[in-house]
């Protein structure tokens, strides 16, 4: 077993090998490992995040953060971490932190929504070429769906959603890609 793999990827590889050994009609080991890694990463991040949020009395906020972040991210894209473990840890940190934000919508939330809307109108969809099968001809539609999702908060006026949409929109910007590349290079040394 490859010791350079992180815990999520090692588990995915073990399960993929088990599936291949017991089902010769299963997909390739590499395809199974990739799919299982995504599944384990997502389930781990959701479970750990919701456990932390439940312990602090913010379960519903945690659920809202996960649902709204993933909804906007699906249509707008954003920077991706190359390590499944780093992605899981970053996701847990963001969900728990965002579930605990408290500020008024009237000034800060409204301003965050304006900035988020401007970013998604300018940048979305960003970075989805390698992770989505959506044809490029639909990218303008993805941009407008992203803008509609952010704009809905002008009616809802939720500070929580303002924070979620703001953080997700920041992942579309070049500094987010630069930061992720810098950190990943430093951690790989």
């Amino acid at each position: 077993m490859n010791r350079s793999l992180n815990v999520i990827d090692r588990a995915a590889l073990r399960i993929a090998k088990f599936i291949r050994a017991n089902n010769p009609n299963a997909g390739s080991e590499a395809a199974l490992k990739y799919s299982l890694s995504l599944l384990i990463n997502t389930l781990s991040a959701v479970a750990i995040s919701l456990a932390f949020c439940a312990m602090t009395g913010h379960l519903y906020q945690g659920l809202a953060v996960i649902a709204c972040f993933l909804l906007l991210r699906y249509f707008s894209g954003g920077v991706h971490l190359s390590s499944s473990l780093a992605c899981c840890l970053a996701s847990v940190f963001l969900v728990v932190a965002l579930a605990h934000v408290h500020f008024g919508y009237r000034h800060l939330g409204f301003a965050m929504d304006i900035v988020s809307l401007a970013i998604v109108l300018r940048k979305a969809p960003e970075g989805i070429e390698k992770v989505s099968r959506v044809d490029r001809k639909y990218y303008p539609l993805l941009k407008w769906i992203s803008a509609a999702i952010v704009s809905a908060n002008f009616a809802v006026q939720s500070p929580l959603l303002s924070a979620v949409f703001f953080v997700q929109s920041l992942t579309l910007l070049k500094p987010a890609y630069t930061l992720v590349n810098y950190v990943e290079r430093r951690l790989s040394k």
Side-chain angles (χ1 to χ4, degrees):
M1 180 130 337
N2 189 342
R3 289 287 168 205
S4 67
L5 295 176
N6 65 53
V7 66
I8 292 173
D9 291 334
R10 278 196 308 269
L13 183 59
R14 277 195 304 269
I15 296 169
K17 285 181 178 188
F18 176 81
I19 292 171
R20 286 288 299 152
N22 292 290
N23 183 356
N25 297 325
S28 72
E29 188 175 295
L32 287 169
K33 180 191 164 287
Y34 178 77
S35 299
L36 288 164
S37 181
L38 288 175
L39 180 65
I40 294 168
N41 175 24
T42 303
L43 293 176
S44 298
V46 168
I48 294 167
S49 298
L50 292 179
F52 274 112
C53 290
M55 287 187 286
T56 61
H58 290 82
L59 179 61
Y60 295 116
Q61 292 89 337
L63 287 167
V65 168
I66 292 168
C68 294
F69 192 90
L70 290 178
L71 177 67
L72 181 56
R73 186 165 183 83
Y74 180 79
F75 293 104
S76 68
V79 68
H80 287 272
L81 298 167
S82 60
S83 161
S84 57
L85 182 59
C87 179
C88 182
L89 295 173
S91 298
V92 169
F93 173 77
L94 284 175
V95 169
V96 172
L98 289 169
H100 290 82
V101 298
H102 296 285
F103 56 84
Y105 178 81
R106 188 171 183 184
H107 299 292
L108 184 56
F110 182 77
M112 291 171 93
D113 285 345
I114 294 284
V115 171
S116 300
L117 181 59
I119 293 171
V120 298
L121 284 172
R122 175 81 173 108
K123 299 296 288 180
E126 182 70 35
I128 67 169
E129 302 82 20
K130 296 178 184 172
V131 295
S132 173
R133 292 184 177 182
V134 176
D135 192 314
R136 290 182 85 66
K137 69 181 179 183
Y138 296 111
Y139 283 13
L141 180 60
L142 296 178
K143 177 187 297 288
W144 289 110
I145 293 171
S146 299
I149 292 168
V150 172
S151 296
N153 200 40
F154 290 118
V156 176
Q157 298 186 356
S158 165
L160 180 66
L161 295 185
S162 295
V164 169
F165 295 157
F166 182 72
V167 169
Q168 168 51 30
S169 68
L170 292 178
T171 71
L172 304 176
L173 299 176
K174 184 171 175 141
Y177 284 84
T178 303
L179 177 63
V180 166
N181 288 334
Y182 175 79
V183 170
E184 287 182 343
R185 277 194 322 271
R186 292 289 178 203
L187 292 177
S188 67
K189 288 184 177 184

